[in-house]
Amino acid sequence: MSRSVCASLTLVSLLSLPSAGLTAPEASRYATQGRCAGYPRIALTAPRGWCVGLVADARDGLQMPRRLIEVAPDRFWITDMGSWEPRRGRLLELKPAGLPGDTGRIQVLARGLDRPHGLVKGPGGSVYIGEAGNVWRTPTAALAREEILKDLPSDGAHPLKELAFGRKGRLYINMGSASDACRDNQQQQALPCPETTGDRPRAAVYEAVLAGPDHRLQTLRPFATGLRNSLGLALTRDATGASERLWQAENSVDYSDAGAPAEELNELERGAHYGWPYCVSDATGRQVVARGYEKRARCALPAHRPPLQAWPAHVAPLQLLAVPPAPAGQPGQPWSGRLLAVWHGYRAQGHRIVAWRIGADGRPTGARENIVSGWLAMPGLRPQGNPAGITVDSRGRLWIVEDRNRTVLLVAPEDPKPAGR
């Protein structure tokens, strides 16, 4: 990271503070001191002038939160998987006033959901929820489940459904691969991989077209293939608003190597193939033949598309979020006009929120910026971070959920210091 970017960040550090007054609630294992937007402040690295507060944790009933959105001011919905076991998930509503553990801050809207993950606002004001095997929607005033897609593949290694809306009622959906690298029970890797063939391939991003006054499903078909697990999907527009680009964050094959293969940021184009399981990327973004397909596969255009960016191996991107620029004449936030990525991975390059400025053409550009980092485990201070999802609220603040730590965090402006101090 460049020196200028480093200089723009400040460590919200408690290391230099005296131990008196520190608390470490067992539910979250974060030590806290002081306040951030009225919540207990925790020791993470945030942009200069911003702090991180602990809004909710296991004391509020969180079990495995993966996504959150603001459905109205001071009303947030959360998909909580519960665990990786089927039918343990819930849809929650958080009203964040108060402190962690206060009674009644989280309401259970629906139980028994099958590994709910995707959570987006759609046309007509409904919220769309992606379970492992289906997608449904509901108005926000009162829960009323309406099935949109059902009988989706829910088995194998990557059953979760990520959702992203484009223009004209186009809903993009992750259909992750059933395996890591297309190995069968005898550890053989077929070419072509059977997961990628047929009318309904796995390892793909699908496009569902919704139309009419009731936004009814018209078509569902593969949009792009060769994508192992697309848990990050986002759309950006150019400066004129005339063109739209679809971005995918690729969780690549699980080599045991610490530095390979690279994770990827791909710009998706209709009908294109992005390499899985035959090709992976090296640290420079060059596609190379994946292990098990040596001398059998070719990794070059036009057969397979290379990524726009190669990311460090094993950072495990779990979400992309495109944040519009601030309105003309108004001050922006550190994430305004940027494409944010949630890196969930446990290795040194992971557990952080990163961003790139979105250029006039709608593509991410420039140096990578760390938005929230410093999540290394330190006993008595904080656990290792595992951010899973983010959103920006109507006041421009950044909200984060951690799945294994079972928290909701808020990145908010620091309180101004009293005059004369």
Side-chain angles (χ1 to χ4, degrees):
M1 186 167 59
S2 68
R3 182 175 298 177
S4 62
V5 173
C6 288
S8 69
L9 300 176
T10 181
L11 177 62
V12 183
S13 177
L14 300 183
L15 291 176
S16 60
L17 296 173
S19 58
L22 291 178
T23 61
E26 184 177 352
S28 64
R29 296 174 291 135
Y30 280 105
T32 66
Q33 184 169 33
R35 289 289 182 263
C36 177
Y39 299 103
R41 182 170 174 161
I42 61 176
L44 292 176
T45 305
R48 186 179 300 278
W50 295 71
C51 57
V52 183
L54 176 65
V55 176
D57 59 21
R59 290 169 293 181
D60 297 287
L62 295 173
Q63 296 173 0
M64 195 177 182
R66 297 282 286 196
R67 287 286 182 273
L68 81 164
I69 58 172
E70 185 184 42
V71 298
D74 293 322
R75 284 182 64 204
F76 292 82
W77 282 12
I78 299 171
T79 49
D80 190 316
M81 285 174 51
S83 72
W84 282 97
E85 295 296 322
R87 304 295 173 189
R88 301 288 182 87
R90 300 170 299 161
L91 178 64
L92 309 175
E93 177 167 311
L94 166 67
K95 294 181 179 179
L99 298 176
D102 286 355
T103 303
R105 301 171 70 236
I106 290 184
Q107 177 185 359
V108 179
L109 302 179
R111 299 179 186 273
L113 304 185
D114 187 4
R115 292 160 289 177
H117 179 84
L119 183 68
V120 293
K121 294 179 182 178
S126 292
V127 169
Y128 287 67
I129 296 94
E131 295 186 55
N134 60 73
V135 176
W136 54 281
R137 67 187 174 198
T138 178
T140 60
L143 198 73
R145 179 174 178 138
E146 180 185 2
E147 296 279 350
I148 302 301
L149 297 168
K150 59 183 180 180
D151 300 325
L152 302 178
S154 60
D155 61 330
H158 306 121
L160 304 186
K161 302 298 180 284
E162 175 67 328
L163 309 174
F165 266 103
R167 288 174 167 171
K168 299 180 180 179
R170 288 176 168 83
L171 173 62
Y172 299 97
I173 308 158
N174 173 44
M175 302 283 186
S177 65
S179 64
D180 171 41
C182 201
R183 291 185 177 88
D184 61 21
N185 292 336
Q186 288 73 46
Q187 298 301 301
Q188 299 301 306
Q189 293 167 277
L191 196 159
C193 174
E195 293 186 45
T196 67
T197 60
D199 295 335
R200 290 288 184 263
R202 299 284 294 262
V205 169
Y206 278 61
E207 180 187 68
V209 177
L210 310 178
D214 295 329
H215 310 290
R216 297 297 178 186
L217 177 67
Q218 307 297 309
T219 59
L220 174 67
R221 58 174 61 98
F223 182 84
T225 56
L227 299 162
R228 178 176 173 272
N229 194 23
S230 305
L231 290 184
L233 294 173
L235 293 105
T236 61
R237 296 180 181 177
D238 66 11
T240 68
S243 67
E244 188 175 65
R245 302 181 187 277
L246 175 60
W247 301 97
Q248 181 260 4
E250 173 74 331
N251 286 260
S252 196
V253 176
D254 287 329
Y255 290 179
S256 59
D257 309 46
E263 314 280 40
E264 301 173 357
L265 177 66
N266 291 294
E267 182 178 359
L268 300 190
E269 297 182 10
R270 187 181 303 275
H273 192 288
Y274 291 83
W276 186 90
Y278 319 116
C279 308
V280 296
S281 292
D282 66 14
T284 70
R286 181 176 64 96
Q287 285 212 318
V288 296
V289 176
R291 293 173 186 173
Y293 285 101
E294 296 90 346
K295 300 181 180 180
R296 294 194 292 156
R298 295 180 65 251
C299 298
L301 290 169
H304 305 304
R305 302 293 179 91
L308 178 80
Q309 294 181 4
W311 291 348
H314 310 295
V315 295
L318 288 195
Q319 189 181 359
L320 293 177
L321 180 67
V323 183
Q330 296 186 20
Q333 288 76 36
W335 35 85
S336 298
R338 286 164 171 78
L339 180 67
L340 275 65
V342 177
W343 286 0
H344 182 265
Y346 68 91
R347 296 177 188 253
Q349 291 286 356
H351 43 272
R352 65 190 66 202
I353 313 295
V354 297
W356 292 263
R357 190 176 298 277
I358 299 172
D361 61 357
R363 290 188 171 96
T365 185
R368 186 186 86 212
E369 304 171 38
N370 283 334
I371 299 297
V372 181
S373 58
W375 245 309
L376 292 172
M378 298 189 70
L381 185 64
R382 59 173 171 256
Q384 180 171 280
N386 42 75
I390 55 175
T391 196
V392 174
D393 70 13
S394 53
R395 296 162 61 181
R397 303 176 302 177
L398 181 68
W399 295 74
I400 305 166
V401 289
E402 296 182 275
D403 53 4
R404 292 193 298 271
N405 287 338
R406 300 182 290 173
T407 68
V408 176
L409 308 179
L410 172 63
V411 186
E414 291 183 332
D415 295 332
K417 293 182 179 180
R421 296 187 64 182

